[in-house]
Amino acid sequence: MKRKGSILGLIFVFLLAILSGCSGKDTPSPGKESGETKGGDSKKESVELSFWYGWTGPEGEALEKLIKKWNDANPDIKVKGLSQSDYQKQLTAITGGNPPDVASNFGQDVVPWGERGAMMPLDDYIKKDNVDLGDFVPAALSSSQSKGKTYAIPIAMHVSMLFYNKEVLEKAGLSGPPETMGQLKEYITKLSVKENGGKLQRLGLWPGVDAFTFSYAYGGSYYDADKKQVTPDNAGVKAAIEFGKGIWDQFGSSELDRFASGLGQYMSPQNPFFTGKYAMTIDGEWLPTFIKQFAPNLNYGIAPIPYDENNPNLKNPGNVSTSVFYIPKGVKHPEESWKFLKWITEPDQMAEFTAAIGNLPTRTSLQSNEIYKDVPGFQEFLQYSSSPNLHSFPATTFSSEYMTEFSTQYNAILRGEVSVDEGLKRVKDKIQPLVK
Amino acid sequence: MRDSISGKTSLRRKGWTRREWHYFWLGLIFASPWIIGFLVFTVYPFFSSLYFSLTEYDLFNAPRWVGIDNYKAIMKDHNFYKSISNTLFMAFISVPITLLCSLLIAMLLNFKVKGINYYRTIYYLPAVIPGVASALLWTWMLNPDFGLVNIFLRWVGLPDPAWLLDPQFTKPSLILMGLWGSGAGALIFLAALQGVPQTYYEAAEVDGANWWYRFWKITVPALSPIILFQLIMGLIGAFQIFTESYILAGGKSGNSLGGPGQSLLFYAVNLYQEAFMNLKMGYASALAWILFIIVMLITLLVLKTSRRWVYYGGE
């Protein structure tokens, strides 16, 4: 009996430990941890800024080059870069009251973090220094803004286009890329090849592909700001889901899983598009750079995302996502942080960085810049990035949750676990209560 | 040593002498690092998470009192039910299999053969490897195309599943990974096996009991307290399962955690997602409390039924 008691006690202690592990992180720290103020308090000129960015490897090096340039020109504000791709650490640092002075993040996190008070609004500085926000691509800038406030400056943007394997298309007797969604569907059927045993050898297009991009092709939208309603059940969104579902069901989950299991790594010569296992794919502006590196002999073309034949005014649709720089709330030297942030998003620096990493610039004035001439695929992408039918996912406090839930249910719909209507209703039921 | 014994006996008397009080306080001071740590890092978070579970809290703004709204929302959340069913699957399928497997290994390692110490080391080795490393290792082992597991299965002519890509096979993959590490449990069983008095077996042999009877009537009852301990620890471990799912079905930005068809969305994974990706600390705290209650109930249930099958040497 006595021993059982001690086991129970042991279990209790273990449980406490588990819970404290989970909840220990949510308790707010009092704010002045390890009172280090990064230099600067005594000597008023020399300030050291810490700058956390999410890029690693060669992309991180491209950014370090810019940092060095800044440090050489500004001995009074020394910037120290740190490659830190775990964005949870930024949150921890901000809530702990010891944030980096400037940091990078994804556009979709800006408004959720900004409205909750983790990011410093930049509007006063923008006004004071006359930064022309009109130069930015609207769809890119809008993901950093909410309720009249700008929380971050987008440094790079990403948009997807249709890539197609010219050889494969020619062999199937198709002379050019599909232009409408209806054609795309025919192409997929035509280009998918089954072995005599019924096993898939090649797929026209992976059916689980980006529902966000296609929903803009059908004129869909995810949020009605006037009515304060989330609209995953919107006709355009639904049409995009049904399109994916239609292709998925042509092959079935088990066949697609088997096919997927034999596909190579994305960032390697075995990427299924490079090896011809996908005849077409929807991918971003970085892909041509990868192709140059991993499959230089691939004969491919880049085409606009097909549009809905019933809505020809929605030509060249696309989903924009961004990478941004921001200043966390509670930094010790906001003036200096802003100076650096402003400098690094100026046209020259933005051009140098985005060209080096093969990302699209967010400034329209850069779209004809000479620097992108040698970046593979950029003629098509730069032109595409000024299309009026590009959208970004609506920036709200709940957008990251909304996107996660949407992807989850999209997956469940494809796999036939729920019907299209039921899945989209689930998204709405879960997200609508979060609207304030 | 002597003082602590005298302190204990004196408890039976009415009051403590000054000297005993002196030792009492002295003892408390020596234990204070633990006591303070326990209060600050365990008791305080424990109760503050109860408070947070009744609020809406996003880390940046002050918590806002919402009563039991979080709990109500959880009851309507399909991710909650999905995560519960995935977790229960692991608790009720994976735990017994792992227990059985480690008991089997322990019995094999109890044979007196040449070089048994080397076998023991080899079987224990996987337990030394950290969770993240072994999960990464297994993604290669279970690679559908060129993973060792499927190469072997194809070689013997069995079907080769897509393991980590097929929702039906993701959880069995995790069980397989768990079995690989069952040497740790085997070690505990082995120690217990060696504590079973040989005389029982000898007596049974004289009475003509066969191998099965000796196992069933002597080994299992003698090991039952250890089985109970391992069962409870295994159940708690199953409810906490996180690392494998996070590594194998890691969330890229904007993607949900939980792997294909949410088949690896375990309770702790869902909790992490709500807390640190959706910044819903209040909701996540409520999830933590529900987990606490579930684990508590299951543990109590196991302990209750254990009276029927656990034998302690003294009784």
Side-chain angles (χ1 to χ4, degrees):
Chain A
M1 218 32 232
K2 207 172 173 189
R3 263 192 244 168
K4 278 181 208 171
S6 71
I7 288 174
L8 199 84
L10 196 71
I11 291 156
F12 192 66
V13 171
F14 266 100
L15 283 171
L16 288 173
I18 303 158
L19 278 165
S20 66
C22 295
S23 57
K25 280 166 200 151
D26 8 340
T27 44
S29 311
K32 42 172 182 182
E33 265 164 32
S34 69
E36 185 81 53
T37 41
K38 306 239 150 77
D41 42 359
S42 54
K43 287 171 253 159
K44 71 172 183 227
E45 291 102 27
S46 183
V47 169
E48 192 176 299
L49 301 179
S50 62
F51 173 35
W52 292 6
Y53 52 82
W55 289 276
T56 54
E59 299 188 328
E61 279 163 29
L63 198 53
E64 284 293 341
K65 243 188 231 167
L66 279 181
I67 295 173
K68 192 175 177 303
K69 208 166 153 190
W70 164 270
N71 283 339
D72 291 345
N74 298 277
D76 54 330
I77 306 175
K78 199 173 170 309
V79 174
K80 234 180 124 185
L82 177 70
S83 177
Q84 173 62 273
S85 45
D86 182 358
Y87 295 95
Q88 303 303 330
K89 287 231 169 81
Q90 292 183 8
L91 267 188
T92 320
I94 297 167
T95 47
N98 202 6
D101 296 280
V102 182
S104 82
N105 206 328
F106 294 109
Q108 77 217 32
D109 276 342
V110 172
V111 174
W113 289 26
E115 284 211 347
R116 289 186 168 102
M119 294 181 178
M120 197 173 89
L122 302 171
D123 303 275
D124 292 344
Y125 292 111
I126 291 169
K127 218 169 166 186
K128 198 182 79 190
D129 287 347
N130 283 321
V131 176
D132 181 17
L133 291 184
D135 189 24
F136 287 85
V137 176
L141 187 65
S142 71
S143 67
S144 294
Q145 292 176 318
S146 172
K147 297 180 181 154
K149 280 187 179 145
T150 311
Y151 293 104
I153 307 281
I155 179 79
M157 65 182 259
H158 320 293
V159 66
S160 291
M161 290 181 78
L162 178 76
F163 289 78
Y164 60 98
N165 188 321
K166 282 186 177 164
E167 258 169 58
V168 174
L169 260 69
E170 263 164 38
K171 267 184 204 156
L174 301 162
S175 52
E179 283 174 20
T180 65
M181 292 301 282
Q183 283 175 6
L184 178 63
K185 196 160 191 171
E186 286 167 23
Y187 269 56
I188 294 168
T189 314
K190 241 182 224 175
L191 291 168
S192 301
V193 177
K194 281 186 180 176
E195 213 180 40
N196 31 19
K199 283 191 164 186
L200 260 178
Q201 289 304 101
R202 176 188 296 131
L203 204 49
L205 180 78
W206 177 254
V209 85
D210 193 355
F212 298 113
T213 296
F214 283 147
S215 56
Y216 299 126
Y218 285 111
S221 87
Y222 289 88
Y223 185 57
D224 187 336
D226 296 331
K227 287 187 190 146
K228 293 202 159 201
Q229 288 283 316
V230 293
T231 54
D233 45 357
N234 170 288
V237 178
K238 208 175 143 182
I241 299 263
E242 274 164 349
F243 180 84
K245 175 79 175 152
I247 318 172
W248 187 279
D249 286 349
Q250 252 182 48
F251 306 102
S253 297
S254 59
E255 191 50 33
L256 285 169
D257 283 335
R258 200 203 56 75
F259 179 73
S261 75
L263 299 176
Q265 296 275 316
Y266 181 77
M267 269 183 92
S268 79
Q270 278 73 46
N271 179 311
F273 180 66
F274 304 168
T275 56
K277 287 207 160 192
Y278 290 167
M280 301 180 284
T281 189
I282 307 280
D283 217 319
E285 75 279 357
W286 55 84
L287 196 71
T289 309
F290 287 176
I291 294 176
K292 195 177 161 191
Q293 187 184 346
F294 294 117
N297 299 322
L298 185 69
N299 186 8
Y300 71 100
I302 304 174
I305 300 290
Y307 62 94
D308 176 15
E309 44 273 28
N310 305 319
N311 273 315
N313 56 323
L314 295 178
K315 253 184 188 174
N316 300 342
N319 178 37
V320 171
S321 60
T322 55
S323 301
V324 305
F325 290 137
Y326 73 98
I327 303 175
K329 193 83 159 238
V331 292
K332 274 131 202 147
H333 313 287
E335 293 279 341
E336 286 80 0
S337 294
W338 165 251
K339 270 186 197 158
F340 176 69
L341 177 65
K342 175 172 167 268
W343 176 81
I344 203 161
T345 52
E346 277 168 4
D348 287 348
Q349 283 68 249
M350 182 186 284
E352 191 182 327
F353 180 57
T354 50
I357 65 171
N359 280 188
L360 291 166
T362 51
R363 287 176 177 269
T364 43
S365 61
L366 287 179
Q367 285 172 350
S368 52
N369 197 299
E370 286 287 297
I371 200 167
Y372 300 107
K373 236 172 119 182
D374 298 328
V375 184
F378 257 48
Q379 293 322 307
E380 290 89 342
F381 271 100
L382 281 170
Q383 202 189 352
Y384 203 68
S385 68
S386 56
S387 157
N389 287 325
L390 298 186
H391 302 272
S392 56
F393 196 81
T396 58
T397 45
F398 50 85
S399 25
S400 55
E401 211 173 338
Y402 190 0
M403 287 169 86
T404 307
E405 182 62 17
F406 184 78
S407 309
T408 303
Q409 293 306 330
Y410 178 44
N411 239 302
I413 290 168
L414 288 178
R415 291 187 174 277
E417 287 163 21
V418 287
S419 68
V420 177
D421 289 321
E422 172 63 16
L424 294 176
K425 188 178 165 290
R426 281 183 177 185
V427 179
K428 188 163 185 157
D429 288 348
K430 178 149 189 190
I431 305 302
Q432 186 59 41
L434 306 176
V435 181
K436 297 269 152 59
Chain B
M1 208 48 199
R2 208 185 312 137
D3 289 315
S4 74
I5 290 164
S6 71
K8 206 173 166 187
T9 48
S10 68
L11 272 171
R12 294 194 192 122
R13 293 202 308 268
K14 270 197 178 153
W16 278 358
T17 65
R18 257 181 79 171
R19 199 179 143 78
E20 279 161 353
W21 275 110
H22 173 75
Y23 279 116
F24 173 72
W25 290 117
L26 209 63
L28 270 189
I29 288 167
F30 276 114
S32 64
W34 180 83
I35 293 172
I36 291 170
F38 179 70
L39 288 176
V40 173
F41 296 114
T42 306
V43 176
Y44 168 69
F46 185 77
F47 286 104
S48 62
S49 80
L50 181 61
Y51 164 68
F52 285 132
S53 79
L54 300 169
T55 65
E56 189 187 290
Y57 179 47
D58 62 15
L59 281 180
F60 298 102
N61 300 304
R64 194 171 64 83
W65 183 264
V66 295
I68 57 162
D69 280 8
N70 284 328
Y71 292 91
K72 276 196 209 154
I74 288 171
M75 290 303 134
K76 279 192 275 178
D77 188 349
H78 50 87
N79 280 349
F80 168 73
Y81 294 106
K82 188 96 193 174
S83 70
I84 287 263
S85 78
N86 284 337
T87 310
L88 288 180
F89 180 93
M90 290 306 279
F92 292 121
I93 308 278
S94 162
V95 172
I97 292 179
T98 313
L99 266 184
L100 210 70
C101 191
S102 34
L103 182 57
L104 216 72
I105 295 173
M107 287 170 65
L108 287 176
L109 293 179
N110 202 24
F111 280 119
K112 290 185 181 65
V113 281
K114 220 176 158 192
I116 188 69
N117 284 333
Y118 295 102
Y119 291 118
R120 285 175 186 168
T121 312
I122 288 167
Y123 275 97
Y124 186 70
L125 263 183
V128 181
I129 295 170
V132 174
S134 80
L136 285 172
L137 187 79
W138 275 94
T139 55
W140 286 102
M141 295 284 294
L142 294 173
N143 183 296
D145 238 13
F146 35 83
L148 279 177
V149 176
N150 272 6
I151 289 176
F152 175 76
L153 288 178
R154 277 194 290 266
W155 183 62
V156 294
L158 287 168
D160 49 339
W163 295 113
L164 297 164
L165 291 165
D166 185 337
Q168 285 184 314
F169 280 96
T170 46
K171 282 188 285 282
S173 300
L174 285 202
I175 295 175
L176 203 65
M177 290 167 59
L179 286 182
W180 183 61
S182 52
L187 196 75
I188 299 175
F189 277 130
L190 181 63
L193 274 175
Q194 296 188 333
V196 182
Q198 278 301 313
T199 46
Y200 293 177
Y201 292 108
E202 284 160 13
E205 229 164 316
V206 169
D207 286 345
N210 63 14
W211 180 89
W212 174 251
Y213 263 88
R214 273 177 278 153
F215 169 73
W216 197 240
K217 297 288 182 189
I218 300 172
T219 311
V220 171
L223 290 186
S224 59
I226 306 298
I227 296 175
L228 175 67
F229 171 77
Q230 300 243 55
L231 177 66
I232 290 173
M233 296 314 282
L235 282 175
I236 293 175
F239 276 97
Q240 278 175 276
I241 188 165
F242 178 82
T243 317
E244 290 85 348
S245 165
Y246 189 74
I247 300 288
L248 298 179
K252 288 168 220 119
S253 76
N255 259 356
S256 52
L257 296 173
Q262 285 190 304
S263 57
L264 293 180
L265 187 78
F266 296 118
Y267 202 96
V269 175
N270 187 36
L271 196 151
Y272 173 86
Q273 181 164 285
E274 293 293 354
F276 297 103
M277 292 168 82
N278 297 339
L279 298 178
K280 284 159 70 179
M281 294 296 166
Y283 192 85
S285 295
L287 281 174
W289 271 87
I290 292 176
L291 175 64
F292 174 67
I293 290 162
I294 293 173
V295 174
M296 200 68 179
L297 285 178
I298 290 181
T299 309
L300 284 176
L301 200 77
V302 172
L303 282 174
K304 259 242 149 74
T305 61
S306 75
R307 286 197 190 141
R308 284 193 218 139
W309 57 270
V310 174
Y311 303 92
Y312 291 102
E315 285 171 26

